[in-house]
Amino acid sequence: MSTSEAPHGEPVTTVLTWEVRPGRERQFEEWTHGITRCARRFPGNEGVSWLRPGQGHRYHALLRWSDPHRLAAWLESPERASWHARIAGVATEIGSERQSTTGMETWFSLPGITVQAPPRWKMVLTTFLGAYPFTFLIQWLVLPRTADWPLPLRAAVLPLVLLPILTYLVMPRLSRLLRLWLYRPPEG
C-alpha cells in the first residue's frame, strides 16, 4: 500500500500478547526495541507501547494504527515476519489473545461485566442521543456569552464542557439504560 493512499476506516488499537520463555526476558526486551523502531517507520503507525508483566512471562504490545487496512498490512508484512524469525525459541505470540478496538468502547463498558462492544452504528446513535441535548444547551446558554472571545478559545468551550459531561455522567448512564438494546446478540 502506498503512503499516498487515503486511509480506510477509523483508527484502531490492537493488543498483541507474547509468552516469553523463562530466563529470556532480557533478550526479548532488546528485541522489542528493534521491532518497535521498524513498526514506527511503517505507513499508518501511530505508536507502539509495551507492557511488562508484574509477574509471569506474558508481555503485551499496544499497537495504534491509522486504520485497520494499514494495521493488516503491517501484520502481514515481510518486515514483521523477519523480526518474528529473530525471536524464534525466545517468545511466542499468542494469536488467540489478539484484541482490537476503535476507542469508542470505553463509553460503552458496563461495570463489573465483560461484554463485546456494541456495533459501531449503535455506538454512534447512542452517542448522538447523549450529546445532542447538551450540545444544544451549551450553544444556547454558554456560547453566546463567549462571542467576544478569540476563535480558538470559543472553539474550546464546547469540547471542554461537553466531553467531561459525556464521559463521566451521560454515557455511563445511557449505556446502562440502553444495555438490552446495545448488547443484544444478533438474531439468526
Side-chain angles (χ1 to χ4, degrees), residues 101-110 117-118 123 167 171-172 175 183:
T101 66
T102 63
M104 287 185 67
E105 292 84 359
T106 57
W107 275 357
F108 295 91
S109 60
L110 296 173
M123 290 192 285
T167 301
M171 295 310 294
S175 64
Y183 301 101

Side-chain angles (χ1 to χ4, degrees), residues 11-32:
V12 63
T13 300
T14 295
V15 179
L16 306 177
T17 302
W18 290 84
E19 183 74 34
V20 179
R21 291 199 174 165
R24 307 295 291 271
E25 296 85 1
R26 183 175 175 88
Q27 185 179 359
F28 180 77
E29 289 180 13
E30 289 173 6
W31 174 83
T32 64

